[in-house]
Each structure stands twice: as C-alpha cells, then as structure tokens.
Amino acid sequence: MAAFTITHYKRRYYRAVHDLLFRARRVHTHLDWHETQHWLESQYQPIMRLVWQNWRLVGLLAASQPLNHAAWVRLVALDDRLNGDALSVMWDAIAAELRGLSVQRVGLLMMDDWLEPRLASLGFRYVEHVVTLARSGDELPPPRPNRVEIRAAEPGDVDALVSVDHAAFAPPWQLAADEMRQAHRIASTCTLAWLDGAAVGYQLSTLYMDGAHLARLAVVPNQQGQGIGGALLGDVLQRFFRRYVYTMTVNTQDSNMQSQHLYTRFGFSRTGYDLPYWEAAL
Ligand SMILES: CC(C)(COP(=O)(O)OP(=O)(O)OC[C@H]1O[C@@H](n2cnc3c(N)ncnc32)[C@H](O)[C@@H]1OP(=O)(O)O)[C@@H](O)C(=O)NCCC(=O)NCCS
C-alpha cells in the first residue's frame, strides 16, 4: 500500500471531503443539527485530519469544538482500500490536539457497526446504550398542578436555553450556544418553562414525515422531580396534537431512569433501536 500523508482541513478540500463521504462505505457522521457542508463552514478551525494517498483523499476524522472539557467524534470516513493504521494515526493527532485544548473525554455515538471493533484499540471504552422510545395516540396522563408558565422560546432566548441545558446535562451531552441556535432554527417547537421570572426547563422537538422527535428535554437540577418535565412534555404533545401529529420518539441514556420513568408515564415504550455510546478518556 502506498504511504499516506496527513494534513489539517482547509476550505479548498471541501469537494474532496464531500466525494469521500459519498463514495466510502466506512463512514460515521454524527453532526446532529447540521449538514456536512454547513457543519464544516460553522467551524472556525475544524479539529480534523485528512489522509491523502497519491494526492487522493482516502480518510478523514473530525471532532467537535470542546465544551466543558469534552468533545465528540463527529466525522470519520475511510476509503475502502485503506487499512486501519490510518485511523489510529489520525486519532493520535486529534487526541493530541484535544488534549492541548484541555479536553478530558471524547464521546462517540456508534451509528454503524464497522467502527466498533476498532474503538478499543484507539482507547475508547463502551459506556452504555442510548435507547429510543416511541409513543402514539392522543391520550395523556392527567395533568398535575404546578406553577410554571410554558412559553415558546424565541431566538433571543438562546442564552436561557443554554443555561438550562448546561445545568441539566453533563458533558459531553450539553449543547454549545451555536448548536442551540441551530437546533432552535430547525426545531418545529421549542418551549421554555418559567418560574418566578427564571427559566427552569425547556424542550426542543423536531418534525419528520412520520412524526415528532423530542430532541431535548431538561429541567434545572434544583427544580427536578416537581412535575416540570411532565408539564413541558404534556404541553409539547398537545401542541403536536393540534397539528394532527400523534406519534413521537425520544432518545435517552439507558441509565437515565428519571427520564425513562417520565416517558413511560406518558405512554412511551422502547423501540429496540438502541445505539452504543463509547468514550475515550484523554
Ligand atoms: C428528565 C427530566 C427532564 C425530568 O424532569 P422533571 O421535572 O424531574 O420531571 P417530573 O418531575 O415531571 O417527573 C420525573 C419523574 O421521575 C421520577 N424520578 C425521579 N428520580 C428518579 C429515578 N432515579 N428513577 C426513577 N424515577 C425517578 C419522579 O418521581 C417523577 O415521577 P412521577 O411523575 O411518577 O412522580 C430532568 O430530570 C432532567 O432535566 N434531567 C437531566 C437531563 C435529561 O436527562 N433529559 C432527558 C434525556 S433527553
């Protein structure tokens, strides 16, 4: 096999990146709210390495910008003829760059099986599954009294959304402000729960051909267990019912019993579509 060269990403490589992502069978994309091009353009300096062989792009690996000492593996692609050595060379370079940015852990949500056998040798360990639950129909559990006021979140509310998000989720599950802005932009509905003038919870949902997806639900820790998550969930389901949307899916960590308890009370059940979550400590 010809020797390979490793480089950083530059804008002029976009076409080659696009072509590799299109033609390679070993691809991992976890960009959440972005299309590939939009994601690359949104990165000030992408944390990314490219592998070239005979002037041809044959591999790439990219991570998210760090947030609170954590990052995600966002993009991986390997040309069919490339062996696994290139992956470890790219990962070593990315891991060194992330260490320099004070990153302590890197998450990877396994979308495709091909990557899994290689992860342990790169220093990742399996943590748990992210599970999918779904519900359908227009029946809701009886509402419980509480004092929160639920209002649609406006673009000017991004700071409030981020502060609730960061209080409720641990790294690397938090959304950065630019991700929140993008998520809010493409959300079908995003609502905030207010209590005595303070934002205490939010949900953000998207709409697909076959139903709604509850992408985020969060309540600040000192207000959890008082029905605010249930109030946000009941409210968003009713908003969808008014639009004749009666099915909803949601993902959560297998270990997150509090959220699963809530989802089960609202008629959600596991679909069996679960994704392994792996993590590397740097
Ligand atoms: C999940 C979350 C949104 C729920 O919000 P909340 O305001 O606490 O929700 P509610 O008070 O309406 O309901 C929580 C339910 O979980 C129960 N519960 C609390 N801790 C629990 C635990 N460890 N195991 C099982 N059930 C638990 C509560 O008793 C309550 O049940 P009940 O309605 O039968 O009384 C909130 O805990 C949160 O923000 N967690 C962190 C972020 C997160 O995990 N989001 C969801 C994943 S996408």
Side-chain angles (χ1 to χ4, degrees):
M1 195 178 69
F4 51 76
T5 314
I6 300 238
T7 68
H8 287 258
Y9 175 77
K10 295 205 170 66
R11 271 195 114 129
R12 64 174 183 273
Y13 299 150
Y14 174 71
R15 176 49 53 192
V17 166
H18 178 272
D19 291 350
L20 176 62
L21 289 170
F22 182 74
R23 75 170 188 272
R25 273 178 293 175
R26 290 179 294 172
V27 173
H28 166 86
T29 43
H30 176 208
L31 302 177
D32 276 345
W33 310 100
H34 297 274
E35 300 295 328
T36 311
Q37 182 169 8
H38 187 247
W39 183 78
L40 282 167
E41 282 168 0
S42 73
Q43 305 292 296
Y44 172 57
Q45 278 172 334
I47 300 171
M48 186 163 181
R49 292 298 182 280
L50 308 178
V51 179
W52 304 85
Q53 229 168 25
N54 300 326
W55 310 106
R56 191 166 187 251
L57 182 65
V58 288
L60 63 86
L61 175 62
S64 66
Q65 295 299 323
L67 182 64
N68 292 329
H69 308 290
W72 285 95
V73 173
R74 287 288 183 219
L75 276 178
V76 187
L78 296 180
D79 184 276
D80 294 348
R81 282 163 297 175
L82 196 64
N83 70 27
D85 296 350
L87 183 60
S88 27
V89 177
M90 286 191 289
W91 167 247
D92 289 347
I94 292 275
E97 184 173 343
L98 290 173
R99 254 183 234 111
L101 296 166
S102 305
V103 171
Q104 290 161 2
R105 44 157 115 179
V106 183
L108 193 152
L109 199 54
M110 188 77 59
M111 311 286 194
D112 303 280
D113 293 344
W114 70 268
L115 202 46
E116 196 153 7
R118 300 177 186 277
L119 281 182
S121 67
L122 297 180
F124 282 79
R125 68 178 181 93
Y126 166 76
V127 179
E128 64 175 320
H129 273 67
V130 168
V131 300
T132 304
L133 300 96
R135 78 178 301 284
S136 58
D138 63 358
E139 278 182 33
L140 290 179
R144 294 178 177 171
N146 68 70
R147 295 197 302 117
V148 292
E149 192 188 336
I150 296 175
R151 294 201 296 261
E154 306 296 335
D157 290 325
V158 165
D159 287 350
L161 293 167
V162 168
S163 91
V164 173
D165 189 272
H166 289 199
F169 287 98
W173 302 95
Q174 302 164 335
L175 287 188
D178 62 321
E179 292 173 311
M180 186 67 85
R181 217 167 284 118
Q182 173 67 4
H184 181 270
R185 218 174 273 141
I186 63 174
S188 169
T189 149
C190 180
T191 49
L192 267 165
W194 297 89
L195 185 66
D196 301 328
V200 292
Y202 86 99
Q203 72 73 35
L204 187 147
S205 304
T206 47
L207 188 58
Y208 295 95
M209 295 287 278
D210 48 355
H213 180 69
L214 178 62
R216 306 292 283 186
L217 177 68
V219 172
V220 294
N222 64 359
Q223 298 291 345
Q224 288 177 9
Q226 300 180 50
I228 299 174
L232 279 160
L233 184 52
D235 179 81
V236 66
L237 283 165
Q238 278 172 332
R239 286 171 192 256
F240 280 117
F241 295 167
R242 289 199 285 274
R243 296 160 70 183
Y244 307 103
V245 177
Y246 298 108
T247 61
M248 180 180 262
T249 53
V250 67
N251 301 114
T252 190
Q253 287 157 270
D254 201 10
S255 62
N256 190 338
M257 298 324 288
Q258 192 165 350
S259 70
Q260 287 180 53
H261 182 95
L262 176 64
Y263 297 140
T264 306
R265 192 160 75 77
F266 275 80
F268 285 85
S269 58
R270 299 262 302 255
T271 64
Y273 179 72
D274 301 340
L275 297 174
Y277 169 69
W278 289 62
E279 204 171 84
L282 296 187

